[in-house]
Amino acid sequence: MTRRSVSDTTVARDLLRLDRDHLWHPYTAARDSAHHVVRDGDGPWLTLLDADGREHRALDGMGSWWAMVHGHRHPALVEAVTEQASRLAHVMFGGLTHGPAVALAERLLELTPAELEHVFLADSGSVSVEVALKLTHQAQAARGRPERDRFLTVRGGYHGDTIGAMSVCDPVNGMHAAFGAMVHTNIFAPRPPAARPTAAGWQTDDAALESWAHEFRRLADQHHDEVAGVIVEPVLQGAGGMYVYAPEALRVMREVCDEHGFTLIADEIATGFGRTGRWLACEWAEVVPDVLCLGKALTGGIMTGAAVLCTREIADAISSGTPPALMHGPTFMANPLFCAAACASLDLLADPENGWSTQVPTIERGLQDGLDAARGLPGVADVRVLGGVGVVEMTEPVDLPRLTAAAVARGVWLRPFGRLVYVMPPYVSTPAEIEHLCSGLVGAVADVAHTQDANA
Ligand SMILES: *Cc1c(COP(=O)(O)O)cnc(C)c1O
């Protein structure tokens, strides 16, 4: 490509054209193009250029897929990564260690249940799930149960896109059929009944919860010889449906694991770091998992990186097995830039004055107030808020291009899927910004419903 001095219009057009011709995007056909170029980010805001080079400031309602909790270009994170890059950007983790990795492990041990004592620093969420599944099976094999090589989970889950992680995603949403025998067949219980947190506690259908628990126990009994562990997103299922269920169901899973010697894996890649209104979503149920996966917001969204924590018992079991080692070790394991970013992000989150514990409740109130206006709009089936997550569920699948365009026109970046229009904004969003986000979302939903009526 030749270098030229060009206007934003030409730049945006060229980028969008080259992008359409050559780049894959998440879950899209080869020529499903992006419609906007992101020029930069600033706090919770993105500056987007459309194909005509027009500039749009849009609030990052998706928090860049749960990750960008401190907003874009946070000075403390930029400094942590820049400073680390100037000393050591990467080094192999085989036979070597470094300050940022140990500092991150120390912080994670401090910030998670005391039972979790051993840390694997992985390069993405899906990889951390692979590691969690592998280490669970390895520990079972080391305890003399090598036949335990399947997982019990609930429908509606999402655990990542690699083949192992896919095998525990919802079989329908996760499109198992498209991959045939590549996907290991696991055991799926129904998803627990929906629930809502209220001032008076969690509201759920107790009878439905009881029959769900009965079915979960039945499946565990039926498959107890082959199940290595239970993997679940605590309380909030994210990409599988933005679905909230009662903490009681998680307690049932913990009990079942204890009764059968299954490992309980909590996938908190989306729910961790305060997003649901608790530091870890497991805390809603006062449940301690045996294995914990963290990712997404772990670095405040500025680097890729994830972590798997496990108990001493599991770590020791693996180390006495055959082979006597956890069989995973990616090239970018414990990358120093990732570790430095994660340490800086965790420090910001822990700030008692202006960390997650003050930010998330403020956002929750803002989402409750602001999304209330969606109730009763044509096509809206349900509105729900948990911590820093707001969901407007429609009765029909959303017209994605039209809704995104309507939202951008209102200064908001949204990326609905299926029937769900949802937000998990950066924690640094002010009350006025949350109001802007909610009115943009509600307005876009109304705009699209309105034009659909007009076309009908
Ligand atoms: C996003 C997500 C993953 C996968 O993480 P990646 O970093 O995208 O590989 C796994 N589990 C849950 C619950 C997630 O939300």
Side-chain angles (χ1 to χ4, degrees):
M1 264 186 300
T2 49
R3 229 168 234 287
R4 334 163 249 197
S5 153
V6 281
S7 68
D8 276 349
T9 310
T10 324
V11 170
R13 249 192 217 138
D14 283 359
L15 289 177
L16 289 169
R17 183 173 48 77
L18 288 166
D19 178 283
R20 186 192 58 229
D21 290 347
H22 301 292
L23 284 177
W24 293 110
H25 284 267
Y27 317 105
T28 52
R31 280 162 184 276
D32 265 359
S33 59
H35 297 284
H36 295 91
V37 176
V38 188
R39 190 167 66 196
D40 51 43
D42 182 21
W45 296 92
L46 296 169
T47 305
L48 308 178
L49 300 174
D50 63 23
D52 298 323
R54 272 187 312 245
E55 192 177 303
H56 304 266
R57 245 166 83 77
L59 200 122
D60 185 358
M62 310 305 292
S64 294
W65 271 344
W66 310 85
M68 198 52 73
V69 286
H70 310 296
H72 297 269
R73 270 199 286 163
H74 192 289
L77 299 186
V78 173
E79 197 202 312
V81 171
T82 317
E83 203 273 333
Q84 185 58 44
S86 73
R87 287 190 292 133
L88 179 71
H90 181 60
V91 68
M92 63 186 283
F93 209 55
L96 296 170
T97 192
H98 48 78
V102 176
L104 176 55
E106 268 189 312
R107 277 179 180 71
L108 289 174
L109 295 177
E110 245 169 59
L111 294 168
T112 55
E115 289 84 345
L116 302 173
E117 293 189 69
H118 234 70
V119 184
F120 188 104
L121 297 172
D123 37 9
S124 77
S126 299
V127 170
S128 78
V129 169
E130 298 290 332
V131 171
L133 300 178
K134 285 169 76 171
L135 71 76
T136 296
H137 171 66
Q138 278 199 262
Q140 291 286 7
R143 294 182 196 118
R145 305 297 303 268
E147 73 285 5
R148 288 188 150 182
D149 62 358
R150 297 178 78 193
F151 288 85
L152 171 61
T153 183
V154 296
R155 289 186 176 263
Y158 176 76
H159 298 285
D161 289 346
T162 49
I163 301 274
M166 261 184 78
S167 75
V168 285
C169 291
D170 184 85
V172 179
N173 278 344
M175 286 167 283
H176 288 192
F179 296 93
M182 286 171 75
V183 180
H184 196 59
T185 53
N186 286 307
I187 300 143
F188 293 88
R191 97 201 306 188
R196 288 177 191 274
T198 67
W202 285 80
Q203 258 179 15
T204 193
D205 178 338
D206 288 332
L209 183 64
E210 209 165 295
S211 68
W212 172 84
H214 184 78
E215 177 60 9
F216 192 84
R217 287 179 192 285
R218 191 190 66 73
L219 283 168
D221 289 342
Q222 185 188 339
H223 295 283
H224 74 274
D225 274 341
E226 42 180 0
V227 169
V230 170
I231 179 165
V232 70
E233 294 156 279
V235 180
L236 171 70
Q237 293 184 314
M242 304 301 290
Y243 180 88
V244 182
Y245 64 86
E248 184 55 30
L250 191 61
R251 282 194 282 272
V252 170
M253 294 184 228
R254 175 71 275 179
E255 278 170 30
V256 166
C257 286
D258 290 342
E259 285 160 21
H260 290 285
F262 302 160
T263 297
L264 179 63
I265 306 170
D267 178 351
E268 297 240 19
I269 291 169
T271 52
F273 310 114
R275 184 53 81 177
T276 69
R278 291 285 183 275
W279 175 247
L280 295 176
C282 278
E283 291 170 21
W284 285 111
E286 292 168 14
V287 154
V288 174
D290 306 303
V291 177
L292 172 67
C293 293
L294 298 169
K296 290 200 163 107
L298 173 57
T299 64
I302 80 165
M303 296 288 301
T304 180
V308 189
L309 286 83
C310 72
T311 61
R312 170 70 56 200
E313 190 277 324
I314 289 176
D316 286 346
I318 291 169
S319 309
S320 69
T322 325
L326 172 55
M327 295 312 286
H328 208 96
T331 307
F332 287 98
M333 183 166 179
N335 171 263
L337 298 177
F338 144 55
C339 296
C343 288
S345 175
L346 291 170
D347 290 349
L348 291 173
L349 287 168
D351 183 338
E353 313 269 90
N354 198 28
W356 79 273
S357 60
T358 50
Q359 292 166 328
V360 175
T362 309
I363 291 177
E364 180 168 38
R365 281 190 295 277
L367 292 174
Q368 275 160 350
D369 291 348
L371 294 181
D372 208 41
R375 283 178 217 280
L377 277 184
V380 172
D382 185 41
V383 177
R384 48 187 183 267
V385 172
L386 179 68
V389 180
V391 185
V392 175
E393 182 168 338
M394 310 298 292
T395 50
E396 301 290 330
V398 174
D399 181 336
L400 180 64
R402 301 227 338 268
L403 194 120
T404 345
V408 168
R410 290 170 175 274
V412 169
W413 174 247
L414 302 176
R415 182 78 182 164
F417 70 82
R419 297 184 293 113
L420 302 166
V421 189
Y422 63 105
V423 291
M424 47 268 186
Y427 295 174
V428 294
S429 311
T430 63
E433 285 165 339
I434 295 298
E435 214 180 296
H436 168 87
L437 174 64
C438 293
S439 66
L441 185 159
V442 174
V445 165
D447 292 348
V448 170
H450 191 72
T451 45
Q452 260 158 3
D453 280 356
N455 293 343

